[in-house]
Amino acid sequence: MRVQVIGVKEAVKMLDMKNKQVIEKVSAAISTSALDGEAEVKQSIAGSRAELRSVDTGRLMGSVSSVPINPLQVSVETNVEYAKFIEYGTSKLNPRYHFRNTASREREKVINRIRQAVR
């Protein structure tokens, strides 16, 4: 008995193409989510969310940015040295958790956006 499978190369090529399309869509969803997260952190710092306002000069708020790490990972961060003291608190300053609380608030939106991209 002899079995011949036809179209294997075409099937592999099609699957590879679909994989690339899914990665592109998920990458776009992650990038959009990062930009939304960046805006939400800034709103939090400005006092428009549950956390206390943390604006004096505007330096911290202006420094928040989305930084791509790879096609499927983006970091929302700041390079302001005193941001960690505002985020986590000190002996004289209660923590404000602008980044942590934003991540928690945005979690479901990010998951839903990625699910939609995969569909």
Side-chain angles (χ1 to χ4, degrees):
M1 178 194 310
R2 182 174 177 200
V3 176
Q4 183 178 9
V5 179
I6 300 173
V8 172
K9 288 181 184 178
E10 292 82 4
V12 169
K13 187 176 179 179
M14 187 265 310
L15 289 172
D16 186 47
M17 182 182 72
K18 289 291 183 188
N19 184 48
K20 288 177 184 174
Q21 289 173 344
V22 168
I23 289 173
E24 286 173 6
K25 289 180 179 181
V26 170
S27 179
I30 290 170
S31 294
T32 300
S33 295
L35 291 173
D36 286 354
E38 178 183 329
E40 283 296 314
V41 168
K42 289 177 180 181
Q43 289 294 312
S44 175
I45 293 168
S48 299
R49 300 296 180 265
E51 300 77 32
L52 292 174
R53 184 172 179 250
S54 296
V55 176
D56 185 15
T57 64
R59 183 171 169 225
L60 174 60
M61 189 166 58
S63 72
V64 177
S65 63
S66 304
V67 179
I69 296 171
N70 62 52
L72 299 177
Q73 190 176 9
V74 179
S75 176
V76 176
E77 57 188 51
T78 177
N79 61 359
V80 172
E81 65 282 347
Y82 59 84
K84 61 186 169 194
F85 301 121
I86 292 173
E87 183 74 9
Y88 298 107
T90 67
S91 62
K92 297 179 182 181
L93 175 71
N94 289 330
R96 306 256 170 112
Y97 298 131
H98 298 296
F99 288 86
R100 295 173 116 197
N101 289 348
T102 295
S104 179
R105 284 191 294 264
E106 293 292 305
R107 185 176 189 279
E108 283 303 313
K109 291 179 194 175
V110 173
I111 290 169
N112 289 333
R113 195 174 271 140
I114 292 170
R115 280 186 183 142
Q116 193 66 30
V118 172
R119 289 183 189 164

